[in-house]
Amino acid sequence: MVLEKHQEFENVFVVQHPLLQHKLTLLRDKRTATKSFKELLNEITMLLVYEATKDLPIHLKSVETPIETFDAPQLKGKKQVILPILRAGIGMVDGFLKLMPSARVGHIGYYRDETTLQPHFYFFKVPEKATERHFFICDPMLATGGSALAAIDKVKSIGVKKITFVCLVAAPEGVKRVTEAHPDVPIFCASIDRGLNEKGYIVPGLGDAGDRLFGTK
């Protein structure tokens, strides 16, 4: 099975595609260089997006092929919004856009207090008519769940009804917090790891995704 609904958590889906799992193993390796890390993150995101968009609404549109005219399926409604949580979420945007090139891109910024592990808000920008759009919030890591919860709360506060959260690696603690607070928001990920260490990092995880993505550590 490529897509597996998690047995413990409602509305959580783990994508088990062999190519994705192979690439995730390479991404976890501490020897993987920044350039390769970016490429792998992009490729894994595309595979996640393929599954996360499986229920997008469609309608029929009349199309003239070189042979005849017929009614063909087309995405319905306003363009979707990709909303990366800064800064590591930026690394997932290209993966989304390769499959959804017409999607709009917003930004939401939080930084984590390394002592309290709490997220601190600093930036939010989304397209017009946001309430009519499907938002895909993305962040490579779902650790304590603080930033994910804050981002979902913020998006819901402006009236958005349809939200999907996409990440690469999650911790059970973070998944539990998000699903309990927002049971209507599906989560798509490549792995739910063992848990969190004393610093709030996912184990075994893949380290700090932002530092590895941007070469800042």
Side-chain angles (χ1 to χ4, degrees):
M1 181 181 292
V2 172
L3 185 64
E4 176 182 302
K5 187 171 183 179
H6 200 275
Q7 294 180 350
E8 180 181 353
F9 302 112
E10 284 294 324
N11 220 13
V12 176
F13 303 89
V14 181
V15 182
Q16 297 287 340
H17 195 289
L19 288 177
L20 187 155
Q21 293 300 320
H22 171 76
K23 292 176 185 295
L24 180 59
T25 296
L26 298 176
L27 198 73
R28 291 184 190 273
D29 192 331
K30 68 178 184 180
R31 298 169 297 179
T32 297
T34 299
K35 178 178 182 295
S36 296
F37 191 92
K38 291 177 182 177
E39 293 170 349
L40 288 163
L41 181 57
N42 186 7
E43 294 165 359
I44 292 170
T45 299
M46 283 193 290
L47 291 166
L48 287 169
V49 171
Y50 180 80
E51 295 293 347
T53 56
K54 61 186 178 65
D55 292 327
L56 289 180
I58 60 173
H59 70 287
L60 296 179
K61 175 185 177 181
S62 179
V63 174
E64 185 175 351
T65 77
I67 309 300
E68 65 177 20
T69 299
F70 83 118
D71 292 333
Q74 183 179 22
L75 289 177
K76 180 181 179 181
K78 293 287 184 183
K79 303 299 183 185
Q80 298 77 25
V81 175
I82 306 160
L83 188 69
I85 298 177
L86 303 177
R87 63 182 169 144
I90 289 290
M92 300 178 69
V93 172
D94 284 347
F96 269 93
L97 290 176
K98 285 187 176 179
L99 291 185
M100 305 164 62
S102 297
R104 306 304 189 238
V105 179
H107 295 88
I108 187 165
Y110 291 93
Y111 68 89
R112 185 170 78 161
D113 186 307
E114 294 303 327
T115 301
T116 66
L117 304 183
Q118 295 302 308
H120 293 272
F121 172 81
Y122 66 90
F123 187 76
F124 185 59
K125 180 72 173 180
V126 295
E128 295 180 347
K129 299 182 179 179
T131 59
E132 302 174 33
R133 303 179 189 272
H134 186 149
F135 273 60
F136 289 87
I137 302 175
C138 58
D139 194 341
M141 317 297 286
L142 174 55
T144 64
S147 295
L149 277 176
I152 295 169
D153 286 341
K154 184 68 175 179
V155 170
K156 283 189 173 182
S157 74
I158 64 171
V160 175
K161 303 297 184 184
K162 188 66 175 177
I163 303 168
T164 300
F165 189 85
V166 182
C167 63
L168 272 66
V169 177
E173 297 92 330
V175 173
K176 186 174 187 293
R177 285 185 68 190
V178 173
T179 55
E180 287 181 350
H182 299 287
D184 59 319
V185 176
I187 297 173
F188 287 81
C189 63
S191 175
I192 298 180
D193 281 10
R194 189 169 70 250
L196 299 174
N197 65 14
E198 66 281 358
K199 295 183 178 180
Y201 284 92
I202 299 174
V203 290
L206 49 82
D208 186 304
D211 283 337
R212 297 192 67 190
L213 180 64
F214 298 109
T216 51
K217 192 172 183 179

